Amino acid sequence: MKLSAPPDIQSGTEEPPVTAEQARLNASHQRTAHWKRWGPYVSERAWGTVREDYSADGTAWEFFPHDHARSRVYRWNEDGLAGICDRHQKICFALALWNERDPILKERLFGLTGNEGNHGEDVKECYFYVDSTPTHSYMKYLYKYPQAAFPYAWLVDENRRRGKDAKEFELIETGVFDEDRYFDVEIEYAKAAPEDILARITVFNRGPETARLHVLPTLWFRNTWSWGQHVTRPILRRAAGEVPIVEIGEPDYGARWLACDGAPQLLFTENETNARRLFGVDNDARYVKDGINDYVVHGDRDAVNPEERGTKVAAHYVLDVGAGQSVTLRLRLSDLPPVPAGVGRDFDDVFAARLREAGEYYATVIPHDLSADAQLVVRQSLAGLLWSKQFYHYVVKEWLEGDPGQPPPPPERLSGRNHDWMQVYNADVISMPDKWEYPWYAAWDLAFHCVPLALVDADFAKDQLTLILREWYMHPNGQLPAYEWALGDVNPPVHAWAAWRVYKIDKKQRGSGDLQFLERVFHKLLLNFTWWVNRKDAEGMNVFQGGFLGLDNIGVFDRSRPLPTGGHLEQSDGTSWMAMYTLNLLAIAIELAHHDRAYEDVASKFWEHFLYIAHAMNNRGNDGIELWDKEDGFYYDVLHLPDGTRYPLKVRSMVGLIPLFAVETLEPETLRRLTGFRTRLEWFVDHRPDLTCNVASMRSCGREERRLLSIVSPDQLRAVLRTMLDEREFLSPYGIRALSRIHKDHPYVLHVNGIEHRVDYEPAESSTGLFGGNSNWRGPIWFPVNFLLIESLQKFHHYFGDDFTVECPTGSGQMMTLWQVAAELSRRLSSIFLRGGDGRRPVFGNAERFQQDPHWRDLILFHEYFNGDDGSAVGASHQTGWTGLVAKLLKQSGEPETTPAPRHRPIAVAVR
């Protein structure tokens, strides 16, 4: 499929009129029309999740594998191909396909489990989130389905055979797309009204010969009635008459209808487990979940209900599509009784209007001075974010104790995973990192998602940030849930930063700030901040441990487990995150104090707390901690041994750059208006020079008389940037690496109890199994931390102005202001996705089909992280959550004129 930016994107104006899509957003905000009740809230994978795992030992992948998914009912969430549902996931709609060669229907995406992949779990499909408006009034999804048999076993066997030093074996490498023998299956949705949804499925045969495809748009109910909770069972039945229409009876939503164009056969079964196939025992129901599969694939006519009723139904179309030709199917899911024409005479007009309105809306969001290619990147990145919403359901108490209608779970679970999070009651639409690889929320991922989401739907972004702080998510002790595999793990405390950023984006869009939102999150964040102070500062010295802090394998040791040496780590990043957290809460408190002077005292508290943390980081008080290494001009973690010995772990990693994140400026107007805060600040400056001397700069005013709060002094900033902007170390043509490239030739090695622990530079996949082996912070480029570095440099420039310049790249002789450095980093990151002068996108690496084929080259994937040397994609392929930050970067910094060419100078450095 060849894509280009719609021509009307170019017609943006400085003050655009309210578009039709913006009017829908306004109606949703005012709750006069529920335009977001239906959306792409069906997961790409529900099997292999913690929620569906009822084993004694927490082996989620093995307890509910892909092979069970077509036959076994899900307890918590549904999955499907290009699926949509209501926000409570009562009614689901998705696509199923069959090419007459596969052993099963293609009802859901296939991938490898964490134990099958040589780099952890990984989806093995080609699918793309092409477009979406924020109310989902228009959406487009593309799935590429091979005409040859899908190579399920080959993908498993070959990836299992490969070691961690080899690349993953991908579907495109199997040859199933050779000679273009595949179908492009495009599914679009358009809303005529909030409860009136049109679906258009277009099948393109890209191959050289006519090929047959079975297309089965499928409607079903999430099974809520099998768990002993006295839920009324809903019903699907064929409506009277010759037109293929399904009547839907759902107790909460009432009557609805699915109208199908053409003359498909309606196949009915029940969303019930096929216990006979899975466990060799009799089924409770006559018709079961995989009945449609058995009817279509195996010709078992007894597998579907001849009475044409049930809780799952598919409209069975058999298409013979000519070479290079396409066939379109039309369906309509509505709360309005169907007209004699079935899908309605207005069907095509509604689609044309919604597609036009989507273009008009994005013309107000995407800068018109971006190239068509850059506009395409922005629009698809936002589409990925919007498609990655998912109804997430997880009630820990019920999950641990089991359901009345089911056998009791093993008793070991009551002291196993997540047993101390009994308050968790999740049943909401949440932004996912990746609906296949990570179909569960992660606290710090979610915070980053909300920033680009706020560009198109600030209400949703604010709701997400508020939701994770509610009592049915947050632990009573104030800790935020990390992710379902370990709710008690510790993510970096970026929630306050995200709330502050979303507040400011929303304020700029609306002209006034949502103080109620800001106040709500602030009070809950106070609880979380207190939890951090009480739990993660082992010695009460304002030096924080934190644990793995989302950076997985970045350290010498697994930072989420007890150290092999004993003792604990004094973490440069843990302490810096807390310093940043403190400044974020200070900024929020100051904003609230402008409207309620009671917040001045709280602002003073966070200003003082920041001073103590900055003091500990830089050890000006000679407390023997010293995370700053004067000789190297860099921050390191310090290993605190049981005998009191402190040993710096001199790994040059993102850990040493994170102190730059702790920066904020105080505006002179703030100090003039908030007299109580100013008085307390000046008292500290005068009477506690031992603390304020660590903060650059409280006495010297910067540009426009601003004052600066920062862990690093101007000299430290120059020293860190000298290393960070060195292309032999951190600076890649595509952003800042998570680990310095010097460790390629000079790995860090530490021997403990006869065991070697080492850190090597690995620009792509990890060669270790740490954290499942599907994540790597030892060299690749990660968007979230790069985004924070860019923002920090902008804040420093806000204080220092144009007089403060640094060499960028180091050794080049080219001097830049910090604002220019931030823009340079932004454009390097954006260039990962943009077509360069050679016509190639770095993100696609050596995948020639993606680079050259007109039906592939404009389908952008926003991966989890990127090769530190060549910018090619690594990790989860649809991590459009935090990588969606590229939309914000392109919007604020534009695009590079040319793609930077990589260059590396030799470096001589001794690293133990």
Side-chain angles (χ1 to χ4, degrees):
M1 174 182 294
K2 184 176 182 180
L3 302 174
S4 60
D8 50 4
I9 276 184
Q10 301 289 343
S11 60
T13 59
E14 290 186 4
E15 296 183 0
V18 174
T19 64
E21 177 63 14
Q22 186 60 54
R24 285 188 282 269
L25 283 167
N26 294 343
S28 180
H29 173 75
Q30 295 158 6
R31 298 185 182 276
T32 57
H34 300 294
W35 282 100
K36 290 185 280 188
R37 175 173 287 160
W38 291 81
Y41 311 144
V42 177
S43 180
E44 306 284 11
R45 175 174 64 84
W47 58 272
T49 59
V50 166
R51 282 154 287 154
E52 299 295 338
D53 174 26
Y54 284 79
S55 67
D57 52 359
T59 51
W61 289 112
E62 289 73 25
F63 183 81
F64 201 133
H66 176 268
D67 182 58
H68 283 204
R70 69 181 181 275
S71 306
R72 187 171 172 181
V73 169
Y74 293 125
R75 170 62 177 89
W76 299 100
N77 276 79
E78 295 294 325
D79 60 16
L81 198 61
I84 62 169
C85 68
D86 62 278
R87 65 178 303 107
H88 301 293
Q89 202 169 88
K90 300 293 182 68
I91 305 171
C92 304
F93 177 91
L95 195 60
L97 305 166
W98 188 50
N99 58 12
E100 297 193 343
R101 290 176 174 83
D102 284 350
I104 57 174
L105 290 183
K106 177 64 69 174
E107 294 181 274
R108 56 188 51 80
L109 298 172
F110 173 74
L112 305 185
T113 71
N115 298 323
E116 290 172 339
N118 59 325
H119 294 287
E121 63 268 30
D122 187 43
V123 66
K124 299 299 182 184
E125 303 271 13
C126 293
Y127 63 105
F128 306 89
Y129 304 133
V130 181
D131 206 0
S132 180
T133 58
T135 65
H136 311 297
S137 59
Y138 176 76
M139 297 187 291
K140 182 189 288 188
Y141 180 112
L142 178 67
Y143 177 70
K144 292 182 178 286
Y145 187 36
Q147 293 171 6
F150 195 90
Y152 291 103
W154 188 10
L155 288 166
V156 173
D157 293 342
E158 178 61 20
N159 278 282
R160 185 178 283 148
R161 185 188 65 79
R162 295 188 179 191
K164 292 191 178 298
D165 56 342
K167 289 187 175 183
E168 295 170 336
F169 182 57
E170 304 294 357
L171 177 63
I172 204 167
E173 298 175 62
T174 65
V176 293
F177 297 110
D178 289 356
E179 299 180 327
D180 295 330
R181 293 181 183 272
Y182 67 92
F183 299 104
D184 266 340
V185 183
E186 177 184 278
I187 183 164
E188 299 169 277
Y189 297 100
K191 294 181 182 178
E195 306 288 337
D196 189 5
I197 305 165
L198 287 59
R200 183 167 66 188
I201 303 164
T202 306
V203 177
F204 300 86
N205 178 2
R206 300 300 183 194
E209 300 168 357
T210 297
R212 174 168 290 183
L213 179 65
H214 296 246
V215 181
L216 297 100
T218 304
L219 183 79
W220 74 100
F221 298 115
R222 177 168 62 89
N223 187 320
T224 57
W225 57 86
S226 292
W227 320 113
Q229 298 177 350
H230 309 293
V231 174
T232 301
R233 189 185 185 101
I235 185 68
L236 302 170
R237 62 169 63 89
R238 182 178 182 126
E242 296 183 2
V243 179
I245 295 173
V246 178
E247 288 184 354
I248 305 166
E250 205 289 318
D252 293 326
Y253 284 118
R256 288 162 193 269
W257 293 265
L258 175 68
C260 310
D261 209 9
Q265 182 182 11
L266 297 181
L267 306 175
F268 288 81
T269 189
E270 301 290 346
N271 188 14
E272 299 277 7
T273 295
N274 186 346
R276 181 179 295 112
R277 174 183 175 260
L278 297 176
F279 311 118
V281 298
D282 290 341
N283 288 327
D284 293 331
R286 170 68 183 84
Y287 302 101
V288 289
K289 183 177 178 180
D290 55 12
I292 296 170
N293 175 89
D294 291 351
Y295 178 91
V296 174
V297 177
H298 303 300
D300 183 356
R301 304 189 68 83
D302 294 330
V304 296
N305 190 343
E307 296 180 5
E308 296 187 301
R309 57 188 292 132
T311 49
K312 179 180 179 180
V313 62
H316 184 200
Y317 294 89
V318 182
L319 308 179
D320 290 306
V321 188
Q325 302 299 307
S326 66
V327 176
T328 298
L329 308 175
R330 305 186 306 170
L331 301 96
R332 190 167 195 156
L333 174 62
S334 179
D335 63 344
L336 301 174
V339 297
V343 299
R345 293 186 176 88
D346 63 343
F347 189 98
D348 293 335
D349 290 341
V350 170
F351 257 103
R354 295 298 172 266
L355 185 55
R356 183 186 68 252
E357 291 162 3
E360 292 168 352
Y361 172 74
Y362 278 112
T364 69
V365 174
I366 304 173
H368 59 80
D369 56 350
L370 290 178
S371 68
D373 189 47
Q375 291 180 38
L376 185 73
V377 170
V378 173
R379 188 154 168 178
Q380 287 194 27
S381 69
L382 293 171
L385 276 164
L386 294 166
W387 267 98
S388 294
K389 297 178 185 179
Q390 177 186 309
F391 172 74
Y392 181 87
H393 193 201
Y394 186 32
V395 181
V396 169
K397 187 175 188 296
E398 295 177 10
W399 176 74
L400 287 172
E401 296 176 354
D403 297 302
Q406 300 294 319
E412 295 91 334
R413 291 163 51 79
L414 294 174
S415 58
R417 176 178 286 139
N418 298 335
H419 71 278
D420 50 354
W421 286 78
M422 289 290 229
Q423 90 291 347
V424 166
Y425 194 111
N426 300 163
D428 300 283
V429 173
I430 306 179
S431 176
M432 297 291 118
D434 179 311
K435 288 204 298 186
W436 193 94
E437 189 148 340
Y438 305 118
W440 30 260
Y441 63 85
W444 84 304
D445 296 62
L446 183 63
F448 288 104
H449 301 182
C450 289
V451 173
L453 277 169
L455 299 177
V456 291
D457 192 352
D459 282 345
F460 181 72
K462 290 185 291 184
D463 288 346
Q464 294 288 283
L465 292 168
T466 304
L467 181 66
I468 206 77
L469 295 169
R470 297 307 301 266
E471 307 83 77
W472 49 91
Y473 285 79
M474 177 185 274
H475 197 280
N477 65 17
Q479 185 180 7
L480 296 185
Y483 47 89
E484 67 175 28
W485 287 88
L487 290 172
D489 238 334
V490 183
N491 284 168
V494 292
H495 215 76
W497 166 81
W500 180 232
R501 292 292 281 119
V502 168
Y503 170 82
K504 292 195 290 183
I505 292 171
D506 185 43
K507 183 177 181 180
K508 184 177 181 180
Q509 292 172 342
R510 299 184 192 272
S512 61
D514 187 347
L515 291 170
Q516 184 181 32
F517 158 74
L518 199 62
E519 196 165 18
R520 286 182 72 190
V521 297
F522 182 72
H523 285 288
K524 285 298 189 73
L525 288 169
L526 291 178
L527 299 177
N528 179 245
F529 183 85
T530 302
W531 174 83
W532 269 91
V533 171
N534 290 339
R535 294 298 182 93
K536 294 299 178 181
D537 180 8
E539 298 180 334
M541 300 179 69
N542 297 291
V543 177
F544 294 83
Q545 289 81 60
F548 89 109
L549 286 171
L551 307 187
D552 294 5
N553 65 344
I554 200 167
V556 181
F557 309 113
D558 181 344
R559 302 194 300 175
S560 67
R561 297 182 181 276
L563 299 176
T565 60
H568 63 267
L569 279 181
E570 289 155 351
Q571 293 180 220
S572 174
D573 56 334
T575 305
S576 302
W577 286 121
M578 279 302 290
M580 172 185 164
Y581 194 2
T582 306
L583 291 179
N584 297 148
L585 291 173
L586 170 62
I588 294 173
I590 286 174
E591 178 76 2
L592 294 173
H594 283 303
H595 304 274
D596 183 347
R597 299 293 289 272
Y599 284 97
E600 284 191 69
D601 290 346
V602 185
S604 295
K605 176 262 181 293
F606 284 113
W607 138 253
E608 293 174 15
H609 205 125
F610 171 74
L611 294 181
Y612 289 114
I613 295 175
H615 171 76
M617 280 289 293
N618 291 300
N619 190 36
R620 300 293 175 85
N622 297 314
D623 293 319
I625 300 173
E626 192 131 35
L627 302 175
W628 172 253
D629 188 291
K630 297 184 182 67
E631 182 179 345
D632 291 358
F634 206 72
Y635 287 96
Y636 299 114
D637 282 350
V638 174
L639 176 61
H640 186 174
L641 297 172
D643 63 2
T645 304
R646 287 181 167 91
Y647 184 82
L649 302 176
K650 293 195 172 185
V651 180
R652 283 195 198 163
S653 73
M654 185 61 65
V655 165
L657 302 181
I658 288 174
L660 300 185
F661 297 170
V663 55
E664 196 60 67
T665 57
L666 292 177
E667 298 295 321
E669 179 62 20
T670 294
L671 296 179
R672 281 193 291 268
R673 289 182 60 185
L674 304 183
T675 55
F677 175 72
R678 184 188 69 221
T679 299
R680 182 65 176 165
L681 180 148
E682 291 177 345
W683 184 93
F684 246 80
V685 170
D686 291 338
H687 292 86
R688 293 298 307 269
D690 58 316
L691 296 179
T692 56
C693 67
N694 294 313
V695 182
S697 171
M698 292 313 305
R699 291 190 179 275
S700 301
C701 294
R703 191 172 67 166
E704 300 182 17
E705 299 185 357
R706 297 184 180 99
R707 301 202 196 188
L708 179 70
L709 304 178
S710 169
I711 282 179
V712 299
S713 68
D715 289 341
Q716 289 173 320
L717 178 61
R718 289 187 187 279
V720 172
L721 291 181
R722 189 178 303 118
T723 300
M724 187 183 90
L725 299 176
D726 192 330
E727 291 181 313
R728 301 167 299 175
E729 295 219 30
F730 286 97
L731 183 60
S732 160
Y734 306 101
I736 299 298
R737 303 175 175 103
L739 186 79
S740 171
R741 201 171 186 271
I742 63 165
H743 293 301
K744 175 179 170 59
D745 298 320
H746 305 280
Y748 182 86
V749 179
L750 180 68
H751 289 91
V752 177
N753 299 327
I755 299 174
E756 179 182 276
H757 299 265
R758 61 185 289 148
V759 176
D760 293 88
Y761 174 74
E762 297 178 290
E765 290 94 346
S766 170
S767 63
T768 75
L770 212 58
F771 289 91
N774 64 336
S775 177
N776 183 26
W777 285 81
R778 295 184 176 183
I781 294 156
W782 291 78
F783 263 73
V785 286
N786 270 264
F787 188 87
L788 290 175
L789 283 170
I790 289 167
E791 183 180 272
S792 299
L793 292 170
Q794 292 171 336
K795 289 181 179 180
F796 279 117
H797 179 266
H798 196 54
Y799 174 80
F800 288 116
D802 291 344
D803 293 336
F804 191 104
T805 61
V806 294
E807 196 175 28
C808 180
T810 299
S812 68
Q814 177 176 306
M815 304 303 291
M816 291 187 184
T817 67
L818 298 182
W819 189 268
Q820 290 170 330
V821 173
E824 172 67 16
L825 294 180
S826 178
R827 288 189 284 266
R828 288 185 181 222
L829 287 161
S830 300
S831 73
I832 289 172
F833 306 101
L834 297 171
R835 190 175 291 125
D838 58 0
R840 299 173 70 85
R841 301 184 193 274
V843 64
F844 293 151
N846 295 322
E848 291 306 312
R849 185 175 289 274
F850 274 101
Q851 295 287 12
Q852 306 292 339
D853 193 315
H855 298 303
W856 295 71
R857 66 187 182 197
D858 290 331
L859 297 166
I860 316 298
L861 291 173
F862 301 87
H863 281 67
E864 185 178 5
Y865 54 102
F866 301 88
N867 188 299
D869 291 340
D870 63 25
S872 60
V874 195
S877 58
H878 290 72
Q879 184 104 354
T880 42
W882 59 27
T883 305
L885 289 163
V886 68
K888 186 73 171 70
L889 295 178
L890 280 166
K891 189 176 171 76
Q892 71 185 21
S893 298
E895 55 192 311
E897 294 181 5
T898 58
T899 302
R903 58 176 183 171
H904 303 295
R905 292 179 289 125
I907 186 167
V909 63
V911 181
R912 286 188 296 173

